[in-house]
Amino acid sequence: MQAKHKFLAPATLACAVAALVGCAGLPAPAELDKQAAASMQASFRDQGIAKADRIKQDLGQSACSSDKPPTDAVAEKIMAEAKGTVKWPAGGRYIGDWKEGEKIAQNGRGFTWTDSSNAPGAGGGSCYNCHQIGKAEISFGNIGPSLYNYGKNRGVRDVTAPTAAPIIQYTWMKIWNSKSYSACSNMPRFGHAGLMTEEQIRHVMALLLDPNSPVNE
Ligand code: HEC
């Protein structure tokens, strides 16, 4: 063991020296970023419904893909911009049918290039991939917090009561564009990215907030 270690040391040193010499000839970080972006752009092409412009990052994506988290000012800007994208439901109808919501939450189907259309409504919410929701489903991910008893824990006894309005609006915003409240959220921006329709969001809203939903039993 000892002998092997001694043998490796000069080689390691040589590598370090080579790396240092190499560094002197490297382009500046901004130039490297440009080259990396160009290489990414050249590596993808449009195929079916998947367009290469998917790799273009908005502020929230680029600032949150860095090795450093965004500054407070940038994070505030990302959240303010995200809030500005939220489309409120037609006629103030926030709550659909929790039974439909459960199916959508269970459905992990996204859009692939072989789909004929990427119109919202063809995919699911994949909510269970990251959240515990109903007690009956024992297979769920834990990237996000448990949403079991979501409405009950927040005192929602009647979704039409004025006291329920703030939590209902918060939940809509969170599902429409998760970056509204967490600049570098890992949660898909369901409404903003066109992954779910208004109707689908209404149904998962019901799953979380309707006192009759098994989530709130
Ligand atoms: C890829 C993982 C992921 C998926 C899929 C996902 N979420 Fe989330 N969700 C999160 C994370 C992480 C948080 C914690 C806050 C944050 O970082 O945005 C969160 C937070 C939330 C919150 C706020 C909870 C609170 O207490 O304030 C709600 C509501 C929510 N998610 C609903 C949903 C619904 C409904 C779906 C499906 C349509 C869904 N999520 C799909 C990751 C996910």
Side-chain angles (χ1 to χ4, degrees):
M1 212 41 208
Q2 192 62 21
K4 200 173 172 196
H5 186 98
K6 274 186 190 143
F7 174 73
L8 274 178
T12 315
L13 188 68
C15 288
V17 170
L20 275 176
V21 173
C23 276
L26 275 182
E31 177 55 28
L32 278 175
D33 284 351
K34 231 169 90 187
Q35 287 178 11
S39 154
M40 281 280 285
Q41 197 69 48
S43 308
F44 291 93
R45 60 181 156 78
D46 290 353
Q47 175 106 24
I49 61 162
K51 305 294 179 215
D53 65 5
R54 281 187 187 183
I55 62 171
K56 285 200 193 111
Q57 295 186 318
D58 61 24
L59 175 66
Q61 291 167 323
S62 57
C64 297
S65 308
S66 159
D67 53 348
K68 291 190 272 316
T71 61
D72 288 351
V74 171
E76 287 300 330
K77 186 161 186 256
I78 293 168
M79 290 189 282
E81 279 182 13
K83 285 193 175 97
T85 69
V86 175
K87 203 174 144 234
W88 298 102
R93 290 192 308 117
Y94 288 93
I95 307 293
D97 174 352
W98 67 260
K99 293 191 194 79
E100 290 303 314
E102 172 66 17
K103 287 185 219 158
I104 295 164
Q106 290 273 356
N107 183 347
R109 195 177 194 292
F111 299 111
T112 70
W113 65 269
T114 48
D115 287 346
S116 58
S117 151
N118 58 352
S126 63
C127 316
Y128 279 99
N129 282 1
C130 297
H131 294 283
Q132 177 184 38
I133 310 181
K135 262 282 150 75
E137 177 55 79
I138 55 165
S139 168
F140 53 83
N142 59 3
I143 292 175
S146 172
L147 302 176
Y148 180 63
N149 280 174
Y150 184 84
K152 190 179 178 181
N153 286 344
R154 288 159 181 77
V156 179
R157 282 178 202 87
D158 173 1
V159 288
T160 61
T163 48
I167 187 66
I168 289 177
Q169 282 161 12
Y170 159 77
T171 310
W172 185 271
M173 281 182 107
K174 185 74 198 169
I175 299 173
W176 192 276
N177 191 336
S178 56
K179 286 178 182 277
S180 303
Y181 288 98
S182 167
C184 293
S185 176
N186 288 325
M187 177 165 145
R189 297 175 287 177
F190 291 101
H192 179 61
L195 303 171
M196 280 166 74
T197 60
E198 209 178 282
E199 188 69 3
Q200 285 180 306
I201 298 181
R202 254 194 284 282
H203 293 325
V204 289
M205 288 282 290
L207 180 67
L208 299 183
L209 290 157
D210 187 338
N212 299 317
S213 158
V215 168
N216 296 312
E217 65 197 3

